[in-house]
Amino acid sequence: MITYLEAIREAQAKALADDPRVYIYGQDVGQFGGAFKATKGLAKEFPGRVLDSPISEDAIIGSAIGAAIEGMRPIVEMQFADFSTVGFNQIVNQAATLHWRTQVPCPITIRLPSGGTAGAGPFHSQSMEALYAHYPGLIVMTPATVEDAYSMLLEAVAIDDPVIFCEHKYLYYHLKAESLPTEAVPTGKARIARQGRDATIVTYSAMLHESLACAEELATEGWETEVIDLRSIKPLDTDTILASVARTGRLLAVGEAWPWGGVTAEVIARVVTDGFALLDAPPMRLNAKDTPVPYHPNLWGTHRPTAKTIAVALRRLLSA
């Protein structure tokens, strides 16, 4: 069995082995192996290519952009997604616009350990994907499975555009697979994780697993729920979403991030704009509460959507 975290480590090892232009840069990624051990052992295996950085996200990303301009393909690790805002200017004003301004590609991959875990609190639990998806020029990946964590990270390194790779911390050790994939669905194509006829749940990252658990629970009541894993939110696979809603007539968008201006809002806006006639009931969304992420594990457990709260929302949708 291989964990979600091990898949990320294996993808980085393969990228380093396959392409001498690839290197890893970040705080404590070398000798220590990263805050979550996503680079454990790689500095020894690839001397001089897994480099510890100063505690300056602005400098880390800025230097990676410069290296990419000169032909390298850096993988940048932010210790937590939350800290990427310190380098926000470099990401959205430099990396995202570089090719548009100069026709020079910017092949950098920025790994963001995202989402909440019990006791992590407001500074180490944020989901930043919608923030970066707002800016043209950035690709935003949100892998929800071990297989996608591996294959999408390899794809991210190979892409000539800057990629924000949102890997969920809760999945690091909670998710396992039998083996690594040899084939992969390309970024920008959603996956139907569960087929159904009565309602569609559109989700991504860790909320995929809460949504699947909800769908299994409602199946005992006779409801068959289709669950779509977006896989990436920029680009967003609107066609797969609309095709599913055409079959079910009902939509619930689920995300761990805050509700205002987020991925769930974008999903609903696209369905209402491009597929309003397909709906048999008003679409719904379910997100984290619009508050900073709490420290206490009990409060954290009620802050984000769970299989139980998704089921409550879905029953309301099915009765509409």
Side-chain angles (χ1 to χ4, degrees), residues 86-311:
V86 182
F88 189 70
N89 171 64
Q90 296 284 7
I91 297 172
V92 304
N93 287 331
Q94 303 301 327
T97 66
L98 184 65
H99 185 262
W100 188 84
R101 289 183 289 112
T102 68
Q103 299 303 298
V104 175
C106 188
I108 67 173
T109 300
I110 303 174
R111 291 180 38 239
L112 302 188
S114 302
T117 56
F123 305 115
H124 302 83
S125 302
Q126 294 177 69
S127 300
M128 314 293 291
E129 59 274 359
L131 182 66
Y132 292 112
H134 182 70
Y135 288 86
L138 298 176
I139 292 172
V140 183
M141 299 183 180
T142 54
T145 66
V146 172
E147 293 83 359
D148 275 350
Y150 177 78
S151 62
M152 293 180 76
L153 184 50
L154 286 173
E155 186 181 6
V157 176
I159 290 172
D160 283 338
D161 296 305
V163 176
I164 308 297
F165 190 82
C166 300
E167 55 195 61
H168 201 289
K169 300 190 297 293
Y170 184 78
L171 300 181
Y172 277 157
Y173 294 106
H174 286 83
L175 209 57
K176 296 180 180 181
E178 292 287 344
S179 61
L180 294 173
T182 56
E183 297 180 353
V185 177
T187 293
K189 180 64 176 176
R191 177 177 69 94
I192 298 177
R194 188 185 193 280
Q195 293 185 328
R197 63 175 184 270
D198 298 310
T200 297
I201 294 178
V202 175
T203 189
Y204 61 98
S205 194
M207 289 297 105
L208 170 67
H209 305 285
E210 298 293 337
S211 298
L212 288 171
C214 163
E216 290 301 317
E217 178 183 340
L218 264 68
T220 64
E221 302 172 15
W223 300 107
E224 290 298 333
T225 307
E226 188 147 294
V227 180
I228 295 178
D229 174 14
L230 290 174
R231 302 179 65 250
S232 68
I233 62 162
K234 188 76 171 283
L236 185 67
D237 185 359
T238 307
D239 290 344
T240 295
I241 297 169
L242 289 172
S244 179
V245 173
R247 291 189 292 272
T248 68
R250 285 173 166 79
L251 170 65
L252 173 63
V254 179
E256 183 174 338
W258 294 304
W260 207 100
V263 177
T264 55
E266 179 67 22
V267 168
I268 288 177
R270 293 194 183 196
V271 171
V272 169
T273 300
D274 299 330
F276 185 78
L278 303 174
L279 292 164
D280 295 330
M284 294 175 60
R285 62 175 170 156
L286 187 64
N287 286 84
K289 294 180 179 178
D290 198 11
T291 69
V293 182
Y295 278 108
H296 197 286
N298 291 347
L299 293 175
W300 174 75
T302 60
H303 175 79
R304 63 200 278 273
T306 63
K308 182 177 179 179
T309 57
I310 297 170

